[in-house]
Amino acid sequence: MTVMNLKVLPKWIWHNEREKRPATVFSLKFVIDRELLNVSFHASFTGAAKVRLNHSLLVEKEEEASNIDGWMRIDEFPQRLPAGEHEIQIDMSCSKFIPIADVNSYLGDRRVGMIAYLEADNHWLPTDENWMADGEIATIICNLGEEPFGDLDNSPDWFVCGGFGDIEAYPLPDINALSAKYMQAEVANGVAILTGKSSRNLEMISIRSENLELFYHLRKQTQWKKMREWQNTLDLSNTASVLFDLGKEYNSRFYASNVGRSSVKLLWNGAESLEELNFYEGCITEWMEIKAGQTEWNLPQGFRFIRIFIFEEQGEDFQVNLKFQSVHVGLRQTGMIQTDVKVVDAIFDVSAHTSRICHQIGLWDGIKRDRLNWTFDFYLAAKSCYYLWEDHKVIRRAIKELGVGTPYGHWMNGICEYTLWWIKSICEYYFHTGDKSFLMEMREPLKRHIQWVEANTDLEKGGLNVQEGILIEWTPLTQTERLVSLQAIYRMTRKDLMRIADELQELELDFQWTIAWLKEDEFLADTHLLATKVLGILSGYVSKGKAIEFLDNYELQDPFTPLSAYQLAECYSLFERHDEAYNIIKTVWGGMLEKGATTFWEAFKLDSGSDFHDELTTYTAYESYRMSLCHSWSSTPVQWICQTVLGVEPVDTGFATVRFNPKPVGGIRECHGSVQTPNGIILIDWHLNDNDVIHANIQAPEGVTVLHTLSNGC
C-alpha cells in the first residue's frame, strides 16, 4: 500500500454566487518568515485567467475548454520568494460554463471553478477557505477528483488519495506479460522490466479539449477516440510492444521508470477485454514521454489488459521498468464465506472484488466508464456493501451528493424512478446500519424529494402520474411495461417510507402517497419481460398464488440484465425456493465466470459468441464494447449468499435481531463465514452430517439477538 503525503489537498473554489458571477477576483495573502526556494505554482480553471503576484501581472491565459484538462504550471511564477508578505491574485472570467443536463443536474452548483497550489521547499499553499473571492471568503465548489472536473493530468502521484483523502494505492504483484514484440519483458516481484532496441521515434500528437463536457469521463473518451483514430493511421507492426494481463480488472495506474540513456515515449491502450483492446474505437489511448533517469505515472483508469508501444531514437537500447497499482478506497473486509462448493466461493469473492474497486470518490457504477453517481446503480451496489465492509462512508457520500444536489422539480439523473430508488437507498441504509444521525442530516433533502414525488402523485387514481423519463431496465421495455413497473417501485418505496416514518418520528415525514390499484395480470403478461414480472411480485401487486405459479413454470431467457436476474432470485427465495434462486445465480454469475470474468458485468446474455463483450449491448444508446465488464450493481449475490447460505437475515433495524436459518443449496455440505453488523461481526459455521441434518453454530456480538430456526443452533 502506498503511503500518501499528508499535505492538505487543494479544493475547487469560486464566489458564493457561482455562475451568476462569471468574473471573479481570487486572492490570497500570506506571510513567510524565510526565503522560499524551488517555488512552483500550478492551477486549473474553467475560464480565462490573469495571474498576478504582488500586483504584478505574470501571465494571462485565454479562455479554453482545455484549461481544466490538467494542472498548468505557471512558468512565469518566480522560483524563489523572499521572506515577508505576499499576495497571489487571479482575475477569472468565464463566458462558458460546464453544461448541465437532467443526468447531472445535481452538479448544478459546480459549473465554474478554480483550483491551484503553490509548492516550495517545506512550504505548501492550496486553494481552500483561506482564499478570498471578490473580497469575500471563497466558496468550496467541490473536492479534488469530484465530478464534473474529475482527475487532472500532471497530478502529483500522491493526489491519487482524492479529495476525501481515503483512496489508497496497492501494488499489483501478479501481472503477466502475454506477448512481446521486438523487446524482452521479464516480470518479477511485481516489476516488469522491458528491454530492447527501438526501431523508430515518433512525434506524438497532443489532444486538447475543445468543449466543456458534462462530466470527466465524457471528456476523456472524446480525447481517447481522437488519439485512437490517430493511432490507427500508424503502421506499428515493427514497433517494440508488450501486452500485459493484470490478472483481474482494476482501477489501475502504473509507474514507468526510464533506466536507459535517452528519452522514451510510451503509447498505450487499456481495456477490459482483448476484443475491446483490439477493436473498440473508444478504448483508453494515452501516451507519456519519460526522460532518461526519470519516472512518470498515469491517472488511474479501469482496465485489465494493457498494450504498450515504446519509441526511442532509432538504434538506442532502452530499459523501462513498470510497476502497477490498484487504486480504491481503503476498505476492511469483514464479510467472508468459505464452502466446499468452489463456484459459490468464487461468486462471492468476485462480487467482493467488484464492489471493492468501485469504491472511489463515490460508489461508481463501474470503473471503466462515467463516474457520476447513478442512483439505481449504487442502490443495488449497496446491498452487498452492508455485508462486506466495516465502513459505509462511500454510500453516505453517494446518497448525500445526489440528495442535496438535485433541486426540487428534478428527478434523480433525469429518470423518474431513480428518485424512488434514492429514497429506498436512504431507507435501506438506515435499516441496515441504524444510523439515525445520517438520516437526520438528510432530513431536508429527503422531505424535498418526497414532496416532489407527491406533487406527481395522482391522489384520486393513485400512483405516479408520470409518462416520460421512465427507464426501469436496460432491456427494451414497452411503454406499458414501464408504466406498471414504475407503480411497483413506487409501492415498494412507499412501504419503506411508512416504516421509517414510524421508527424515526423525529424526521417528521408527512406524505400522502396513494397506491394505484393494478391487476396482477398487468405484470405477468406473456409478452412482458422479466423486469416487469419480478417487480410486480416484489411489490406485492402479484398475489402469492400467482407468483408461485409463475416462478414454478419460468425458465430464464434473454433479454435480461444481472439486476432483474438478481430480483428473480429474490422472488424465488421469498417463497422458499432457494435451490431455484441458487440456480439463477449460478447460471448468470457462474456463466460470467465461465467466460473468464474477474469482475461482474453490467449485462449478460445466455446466448453469446466468443466476442461476448461486443454482443452484450442491450440498450440502444450504447455502442459496441461500451457495456461495462465491471459494474457494482452486479455484486448483489453477496447479499443473497449471506442471507441464504450463511443464513443471517436482519429482522430489526441495525441487525439488532437476526434470523439464523442457513440453507445447504447447490450441494454445499460445509460452510463457514462472517457477516458485518453495526455491533460487530457475526461468525457462522455449519455442516451437514451423514443424515443430511444441519449442525450449526453462530456467534453474535453483544447487542445482536439471534432467532434460531435450527434445533441444534447455539
Side-chain angles (χ1 to χ4, degrees):
M1 181 180 70
T2 298
V3 177
M4 301 305 172
N5 197 303
L6 297 179
K7 295 174 182 175
V8 175
L9 286 163
K11 298 179 183 293
W12 287 90
I13 60 174
W14 200 260
H15 189 276
N16 185 52
E17 295 179 0
R18 315 280 172 142
E19 75 276 4
K20 295 178 182 178
R21 188 176 294 228
T24 305
V25 178
F26 296 98
S27 61
L28 176 70
K29 293 182 179 180
F30 60 99
V31 178
I32 51 178
D33 57 7
R34 58 179 176 81
E35 182 183 48
L36 296 184
L37 302 178
N38 298 315
V39 177
S40 62
F41 187 73
H42 310 255
S44 182
F45 33 76
T46 56
K50 297 177 182 178
V51 181
R52 306 177 192 273
L53 177 64
N54 299 328
H55 306 291
S56 295
L57 179 64
L58 300 180
V59 66
E60 185 172 352
K61 296 288 187 180
E62 295 182 358
E63 182 174 13
E64 296 179 358
S66 59
N67 288 343
I68 63 168
D69 285 357
W71 294 101
M72 294 180 287
R73 177 168 177 155
I74 307 302
D75 293 328
E76 296 79 2
F77 207 93
Q79 295 183 26
R80 59 172 293 275
L81 288 177
E85 183 176 278
H86 299 276
E87 182 177 12
I88 300 173
Q89 182 178 305
I90 302 178
D91 301 4
M92 290 281 304
S93 61
C94 300
S95 63
K96 298 179 181 178
F97 309 104
I98 298 288
I100 295 295
D102 284 343
V103 70
N104 68 338
S105 63
Y106 67 94
L107 303 177
D109 282 343
R110 304 181 188 176
R111 304 192 66 190
V112 289
M114 189 274 286
I115 191 168
Y117 65 91
L118 179 148
E119 186 175 25
D121 291 344
N122 299 314
H123 202 81
W124 177 258
L125 284 175
T127 45
D128 56 17
E129 297 91 336
N130 292 312
W131 284 67
M132 306 297 289
D134 286 344
E136 302 177 17
I137 297 175
T139 295
I140 302 300
I141 299 298
C142 65
N143 290 326
L144 183 69
E146 287 191 284
E147 292 289 354
F149 307 107
D151 294 334
L152 297 176
D153 290 337
N154 308 315
S155 289
D157 61 339
W158 58 272
F159 274 33
V160 75
C161 67
F164 293 99
D166 57 4
I167 298 177
E168 299 177 359
Y170 300 82
L172 296 179
D174 298 324
I175 59 175
N176 181 30
L178 298 181
S179 63
K181 292 176 57 178
Y182 304 108
M183 71 162 69
Q184 291 75 47
E186 297 181 3
V187 180
N189 300 319
V191 179
I193 302 175
L194 310 180
T195 57
K197 189 181 292 292
S198 175
S199 62
R200 62 187 298 190
N201 197 356
L202 184 67
E203 187 66 30
M204 298 291 185
I205 64 170
S206 178
I207 303 296
R208 296 166 61 86
S209 295
E210 298 177 0
N211 300 292
L212 295 171
E213 301 283 5
L214 287 170
F215 44 88
Y216 166 78
H217 192 271
L218 190 59
R219 181 175 91 226
K220 295 299 292 185
Q221 184 129 59
T222 300
Q223 295 172 345
W224 292 336
K225 285 183 177 180
K226 292 180 179 178
M227 279 292 296
R228 182 78 159 184
E229 182 180 359
W230 169 77
Q231 178 185 349
N232 289 336
T233 66
L234 305 174
D235 181 3
L236 299 175
S237 58
N238 295 321
T239 303
S241 64
V242 61
L243 172 62
F244 287 110
D245 179 358
L246 302 186
K248 297 179 181 179
E249 183 167 352
Y250 297 95
N251 187 43
S252 179
R253 71 170 180 181
F254 62 86
Y255 287 85
S257 300
N258 182 3
V259 187
R261 294 177 296 178
S262 61
S263 294
V264 297
K265 297 172 183 175
L266 272 58
L267 173 65
W268 66 276
N269 304 112
E272 295 183 305
S273 68
L274 290 174
E275 291 78 14
E276 179 188 357
L277 190 75
N278 292 324
F279 304 120
Y280 183 35
E281 64 178 10
C283 102
I284 301 168
T285 307
E286 297 185 353
W287 69 275
M288 63 174 66
E289 183 172 5
I290 317 168
K291 295 179 180 180
Q294 299 295 310
T295 297
E296 298 291 339
W297 51 87
N298 67 310
L299 295 174
Q301 302 291 350
F303 60 89
R304 172 182 173 182
F305 298 97
I306 178 171
R307 177 177 285 122
I308 300 174
F309 299 90
I310 297 183
F311 303 89
E312 193 182 31
E313 294 181 12
Q314 190 167 348
E316 289 286 343
D317 292 330
F318 63 79
Q319 179 177 334
V320 177
N321 297 346
L322 300 177
K323 294 182 180 180
F324 290 86
Q325 295 177 328
S326 175
V327 174
H328 53 78
V329 170
L331 299 170
R332 178 172 177 252
Q333 183 175 344
T334 51
M336 311 279 187
I337 193 172
Q338 185 174 355
T339 73
D340 56 347
V341 175
K342 291 183 179 180
V343 68
V344 174
D345 295 359
I347 290 172
F348 189 94
D349 291 343
V350 174
S351 294
H353 176 67
T354 304
S355 174
R356 183 191 297 274
I357 64 175
C358 287
H359 277 71
Q360 302 286 340
I361 289 289
L363 185 51
W364 292 350
D365 58 343
I367 55 174
K368 164 190 170 179
R369 222 174 46 224
D370 37 274
R371 300 176 175 185
L372 292 180
N373 275 322
W374 291 94
T375 318
F376 191 25
D377 294 73
F378 77 68
Y379 163 75
L380 287 165
K383 288 181 176 294
S384 64
C385 298
Y386 300 125
Y387 294 85
L388 281 172
W389 313 117
E390 188 177 43
D391 194 325
H392 308 310
K393 58 188 173 184
V394 181
I395 298 175
R396 293 192 293 273
R397 291 206 294 248
I399 290 174
K400 183 175 181 179
E401 183 177 60
L402 265 163
V404 173
T406 304
Y408 182 85
H410 290 260
W411 301 112
M412 302 279 180
N413 302 123
I415 301 171
C416 173
E417 77 274 11
Y418 276 31
T419 294
L420 299 176
W421 291 123
W422 180 84
I423 294 171
K424 277 186 66 62
S425 293
I426 281 194
C427 295
E428 292 194 15
Y429 171 84
Y430 174 68
F431 298 152
H432 283 93
T433 68
D435 185 355
K436 292 184 180 181
S437 62
F438 182 67
L439 267 290
M440 294 306 297
E441 183 182 349
M442 289 292 98
R443 177 184 170 189
E444 186 281 324
L446 177 59
K447 296 181 74 169
R448 170 163 33 103
H449 296 300
I450 289 173
Q451 290 170 1
W452 173 239
V453 173
E454 186 166 318
N456 288 275
T457 294
D458 189 328
L459 297 180
E460 293 184 2
K461 297 181 180 179
L464 272 182
N465 185 18
V466 177
Q467 302 293 317
E468 304 295 333
I470 308 170
L471 179 60
I472 306 298
E473 165 71 288
W474 295 126
T475 49
L477 302 180
T478 65
Q479 179 69 352
T480 298
E481 289 174 284
R482 287 194 291 268
L483 289 174
V484 296
S485 297
L486 175 63
Q487 303 309 326
I489 300 168
Y490 174 87
R491 181 172 178 169
M492 293 160 64
T493 307
R494 178 180 180 273
K495 180 180 179 181
D496 282 355
L497 266 182
M498 292 177 67
R499 175 180 166 184
I500 208 171
D502 182 60
E503 290 193 23
L504 282 180
Q505 296 186 16
E506 53 265 50
L507 285 173
E508 297 179 322
L509 299 182
D510 182 19
F511 55 95
Q512 300 296 320
W513 291 17
T514 55
I515 297 173
W517 295 106
L518 302 173
K519 297 179 180 179
E520 55 190 350
D521 290 342
E522 296 183 63
F523 293 91
L524 297 178
D526 291 339
T527 55
H528 287 353
L529 295 183
L530 179 62
T532 300
K533 296 173 179 177
V534 293
L535 286 171
I537 294 171
L538 293 172
S539 64
Y541 272 116
V542 176
S543 66
K544 179 178 179 180
K546 282 284 189 178
I548 291 175
E549 180 183 351
F550 162 74
L551 293 171
D552 286 348
N553 291 281
Y554 179 74
E555 292 186 7
L556 189 64
Q557 56 188 321
D558 295 324
F560 62 89
T561 71
L563 70 91
S564 54
Y566 182 72
Q567 290 170 332
L568 176 62
E570 287 185 309
C571 289
Y572 277 120
S573 282
L574 182 64
F575 298 105
E576 299 297 324
R577 283 152 170 76
H578 303 295
D579 286 316
E580 289 84 349
Y582 170 72
N583 287 334
I584 295 299
I585 288 174
K586 182 181 178 182
T587 297
V588 177
W589 282 266
M592 295 185 214
L593 293 177
E594 289 176 358
K595 291 185 177 294
T598 62
T599 49
F600 285 136
W601 308 341
E602 183 178 12
F604 182 74
K605 293 178 89 172
L606 296 173
D607 182 17
S608 62
S610 59
D611 187 358
F612 60 86
H613 199 174
D614 178 52
E615 297 184 28
L616 285 181
T617 299
T618 58
Y619 184 50
T620 55
Y622 280 179
E623 304 164 356
S624 175
Y625 301 110
R626 184 158 162 75
M627 191 66 73
S628 165
L629 298 189
C630 168
H631 225 66
S632 55
W633 79 12
S634 288
S635 64
T636 44
V638 165
Q639 183 192 51
W640 184 87
I641 290 171
C642 287
Q643 290 186 352
T644 307
V645 180
L646 283 175
V648 178
E649 183 179 358
V651 176
D652 293 337
T653 296
F655 284 81
T657 303
V658 299
R659 182 179 294 109
F660 181 49
N661 187 18
K663 301 294 183 182
V665 298
I668 299 173
R669 300 194 66 83
E670 297 180 5
C671 175
H672 66 266
S674 55
V675 169
Q676 174 67 41
T677 81
N679 289 305
I681 300 170
I682 298 176
L683 299 176
I684 304 99
D685 183 54
W686 63 262
H687 69 275
L688 292 179
N689 65 13
D690 293 340
N691 296 318
D692 290 339
V693 175
I694 295 180
H695 285 255
N697 179 58
I698 179 170
Q699 300 177 38
E702 185 177 351
V704 177
T705 300
V706 178
L707 301 179
H708 298 279
T709 60
L710 300 171
S711 59
N712 64 327
C714 57

